[in-house]
Amino acid sequence: MQLEQRIKKELEENPVLDLDNEGSDSQEEEYDTDLKSNDDKDNEEFSVDDYLNDEDYPSYKYSSQNYSKDDKYTEIPFSAGSSFHEFVEQQLTEVSLSEDELVLAEQIIGNIDEDGYLRRDLESIMDDLAFMQNVTTDEFELLRILRVIQEFDPPGVGARNLRECLRLQMERKDLSKPEIQLASRILRDTFDEFTRKHYDKITRKFGISEDDLKKAIDEILKLNPKPGSSFSNTINRTNQTIIPDFILELMDGDLQLSLNQRNVPDLHINGHYANMLKAYQENRKNLSRQDKDTVMFMKQKLDSAKWFIDAIRQRQQTLLLVMNEIIDYQKEYFLEGDETRMRPMILKDIADRTGLDISTVSRVSNSKYIQTHFGIFPLKYFFSESMQKDTGEEVSTREIKQILKECIEAEDKRKPLTDQALAEILKQKSYPIARRTVAKYREQMDIPVARMRKEL
């Protein structure tokens, strides 16, 4: 459960906790006064000072969805519009179909996915119609209705595979242009060679120049491989907003870390209940049984509030402790933002420096973000394994990945570097890495193999 939800739930369940900042200073002064009665101290069941001591309760600010009670909050309406499937179904009214044909068309559209593809084969759709709607048809009739749907917008809708999707879109272009004609032939006759980037085979088959091939491929690359995704669907679209837990600023060459606590109120014990306990201690002998039960209930809530505030304060201290050690360990990186400056670091390194358990460090670094002067990063980004160079120096695998990325970006795209060639380059830079390790790092960075990076 997120901290905001925990705090909200605790505030709902425990009336002793308060967020009101007004008059907090005067309340804290009251907390410091001597609330003890003249009775023998040893006979007291408990003391209010155990709960309301300034030394034990410094003001603690916590994040509450980044707005305070003084901020104006307005519900902003939005227009959802129609869904992708509704958009396609609306176009059925623009074509002349019988009632039986409309049933078939609606069944086909219902099987089109959000990318715009018909992944289910026609034979299975035919069986669905027979068993679920008692409609008998044949595959030829379904194919005829599918061809009608494939004329709808967005171009490529209803395609059964990528090849058909691209061809449907290409058919709507100006086929009088030579590059469009060649692109259509490539999709029809040499699609496998195109996807594998075997451009030399395509040029030989059609007897064309590389310049002609490049123009045709440029036309193909303008097509949308997922026509359904081009339709604005605000119902299914989700946006994730990242609010950093830490803010790291570089000021006059020094790194300054702080928790993200903008517009946060104080969390303290409600003065009303403190006054009730004060009245109890001043008039203990005259309290009724019901009053005493009330006081015991308040004592339980005070215990709960004390534990809750201590837990939040401990969480804050743990977060800052771990983050400060990460910054100290990776200081050169945080000063410049250069990945090659990042040292290899594992959870145990930070656990040893903080004295915390590895599981605690893992929980702190999981799903937490830090805002720096060069971007926002998850804490787990700064952890990486190490490897040893020929010189014996240990370096982070992130440093190696960065070098690989730079080599690939600088390569000749007409003759991209193979994994073996990249391994040789790294060896020349004193990084003894095998070809299969290069392939693993490349895949982790979502970089395709050399053949797929080839350009004309």
Side-chain angles (χ1 to χ4, degrees), residues 160-259:
R160 289 164 290 181
N161 51 55
L162 177 60
R163 184 179 191 174
E164 186 176 32
C165 178
L166 298 179
R167 289 188 64 186
L168 287 171
Q169 295 178 58
M170 190 62 68
E171 288 172 359
R172 300 201 187 186
K173 290 182 174 289
D174 185 1
L175 295 177
S176 64
K177 295 182 178 180
E179 60 271 20
I180 301 297
Q181 294 177 8
L182 178 57
S184 298
R185 293 176 63 192
I186 290 173
L187 294 176
R188 184 183 67 243
D189 302 329
T190 58
F191 183 74
D192 291 339
E193 289 82 354
F194 166 71
T195 57
R196 293 183 173 87
K197 291 197 173 184
H198 291 162
Y199 298 138
D200 54 339
K201 294 182 180 180
I202 299 176
T203 55
R204 287 198 303 268
K205 181 177 180 63
F206 295 128
I208 57 177
S209 65
E210 287 191 358
D211 186 57
D212 290 337
L213 178 61
K214 186 177 187 306
K215 290 179 181 179
I217 290 178
D218 287 342
E219 292 296 328
I220 296 175
L221 295 178
K222 293 177 184 178
L223 305 178
N224 187 356
K226 295 182 179 181
S229 63
S230 64
F231 189 86
S232 178
N233 187 354
T234 55
I235 297 175
N236 296 327
R237 183 177 299 170
T238 57
N239 294 320
Q240 180 183 9
T241 301
I242 295 176
I243 300 176
D245 302 270
F246 304 93
I247 297 177
L248 182 65
E249 297 177 295
L250 182 62
M251 304 182 67
D252 299 327
D254 293 329
L255 295 170
Q256 296 186 3
L257 176 69
S258 62
L259 283 172

Side-chain angles (χ1 to χ4, degrees), residues 63-289:
S63 177
S64 180
Q65 299 178 12
N66 285 338
Y67 62 86
S68 67
K69 67 171 188 174
D70 297 325
D71 291 335
K72 183 179 179 181
Y73 179 76
T74 306
E75 290 283 354
I76 301 177
F78 66 93
S79 175
S82 59
S83 69
F84 168 66
H85 286 88
E86 289 172 342
F87 174 71
V88 178
E89 286 179 353
Q90 287 171 2
Q91 297 175 70
L92 288 175
T93 60
E94 302 173 6
V95 295
S96 179
L97 295 176
S98 66
E99 291 187 6
D100 292 339
E101 290 173 333
L102 280 174
V103 172
L104 302 184
E106 289 173 353
Q107 186 71 19
I108 292 174
I109 293 174
N111 281 277
I112 295 176
D113 63 17
E114 292 298 327
D115 290 334
Y117 285 86
L118 180 66
R119 310 286 187 183
R120 193 168 176 81
D121 62 83
L122 295 179
E123 186 176 351
S124 298
I125 295 176
M126 187 173 61
D127 292 340
D128 292 341
L129 286 165
F131 287 106
M132 300 175 63
Q133 301 192 42
N134 196 27
V135 174
T136 303
T137 186
D138 55 43
E139 194 169 340
F140 175 80
E141 182 66 9
L142 279 176
L143 182 59
R144 187 179 67 82
I145 300 299
L146 175 61
R147 296 302 185 198
V148 174
I149 295 173
Q150 289 177 343
E151 296 293 328
F152 291 174
D153 289 327
V157 65
R160 289 164 290 181
N161 51 55
L162 177 60
R163 184 179 191 174
E164 186 176 32
C165 178
L166 298 179
R167 289 188 64 186
L168 287 171
Q169 295 178 58
M170 190 62 68
E171 288 172 359
R172 300 201 187 186
K173 290 182 174 289
D174 185 1
L175 295 177
S176 64
K177 295 182 178 180
E179 60 271 20
I180 301 297
Q181 294 177 8
L182 178 57
S184 298
R185 293 176 63 192
I186 290 173
L187 294 176
R188 184 183 67 243
D189 302 329
T190 58
F191 183 74
D192 291 339
E193 289 82 354
F194 166 71
T195 57
R196 293 183 173 87
K197 291 197 173 184
H198 291 162
Y199 298 138
D200 54 339
K201 294 182 180 180
I202 299 176
T203 55
R204 287 198 303 268
K205 181 177 180 63
F206 295 128
I208 57 177
S209 65
E210 287 191 358
D211 186 57
D212 290 337
L213 178 61
K214 186 177 187 306
K215 290 179 181 179
I217 290 178
D218 287 342
E219 292 296 328
I220 296 175
L221 295 178
K222 293 177 184 178
L223 305 178
N224 187 356
K226 295 182 179 181
S229 63
S230 64
F231 189 86
S232 178
N233 187 354
T234 55
I235 297 175
N236 296 327
R237 183 177 299 170
T238 57
N239 294 320
Q240 180 183 9
T241 301
I242 295 176
I243 300 176
D245 302 270
F246 304 93
I247 297 177
L248 182 65
E249 297 177 295
L250 182 62
M251 304 182 67
D252 299 327
D254 293 329
L255 295 170
Q256 296 186 3
L257 176 69
S258 62
L259 283 172
N260 188 6
Q261 298 177 329
R262 184 178 180 183
N263 291 336
V264 288
D266 287 337
L267 180 65
H268 57 80
I269 292 177
N270 193 307
H272 172 70
Y273 295 96
N275 291 332
M276 290 179 63
L277 285 179
K278 179 180 179 180
Y280 156 72
Q281 288 195 327
E282 291 177 347
N283 194 26
R284 277 182 54 194
K285 294 182 179 180
N286 298 326
L287 291 177
S288 65
R289 179 58 182 268

Side-chain angles (χ1 to χ4, degrees), residues 30-70:
E30 291 180 9
Y31 297 163
D32 283 336
T33 60
D34 185 9
L35 302 180
K36 299 185 183 300
S37 65
N38 295 327
D39 293 340
D40 186 5
K41 182 178 180 180
D42 294 336
N43 293 330
E44 291 184 9
E45 296 178 5
F46 61 91
S47 170
V48 179
D49 289 343
D50 293 338
Y51 304 97
L52 305 178
N53 191 309
D54 271 344
E55 185 177 349
D56 292 335
Y57 287 90
S59 296
Y60 175 76
K61 295 186 175 183
Y62 65 90
S63 177
S64 180
Q65 299 178 12
N66 285 338
Y67 62 86
S68 67
K69 67 171 188 174
D70 297 325

Side-chain angles (χ1 to χ4, degrees), residues 329-330 341-346 349 382-387 393-399:
Y329 199 96
Q330 304 284 10
R341 298 279 186 174
M342 190 177 292
R343 298 171 56 190
M345 182 179 71
I346 59 176
D349 294 327
F382 308 115
F383 292 88
S384 62
E385 297 292 337
S386 65
M387 72 153 291
E393 177 188 359
E394 284 196 348
V395 295
S396 169
T397 54
R398 288 200 178 278
E399 178 178 336

Side-chain angles (χ1 to χ4, degrees), residues 20-31 268:
D20 188 3
N21 288 328
E22 296 180 2
S24 60
D25 293 339
S26 61
Q27 290 173 2
E28 289 178 357
E29 292 177 0
E30 291 180 9
Y31 297 163
H268 57 80

Side-chain angles (χ1 to χ4, degrees), residues 317-367:
Q317 293 173 347
T318 302
L319 288 174
L320 287 173
L321 176 62
V322 171
M323 193 66 241
N324 272 314
E325 289 301 331
I326 292 176
I327 293 172
D328 185 63
Y329 199 96
Q330 304 284 10
K331 189 171 183 178
E332 289 188 13
Y333 166 74
F334 282 108
L335 284 172
E336 302 179 15
D338 184 357
E339 269 194 338
T340 60
R341 298 279 186 174
M342 190 177 292
R343 298 171 56 190
M345 182 179 71
I346 59 176
L347 294 174
K348 187 177 184 302
D349 294 327
I350 302 302
D352 291 342
R353 292 168 69 100
T354 59
L356 300 173
D357 191 82
I358 292 180
S359 61
T360 302
V361 177
S362 176
R363 286 195 300 272
V364 170
S365 58
N366 187 35
S367 301

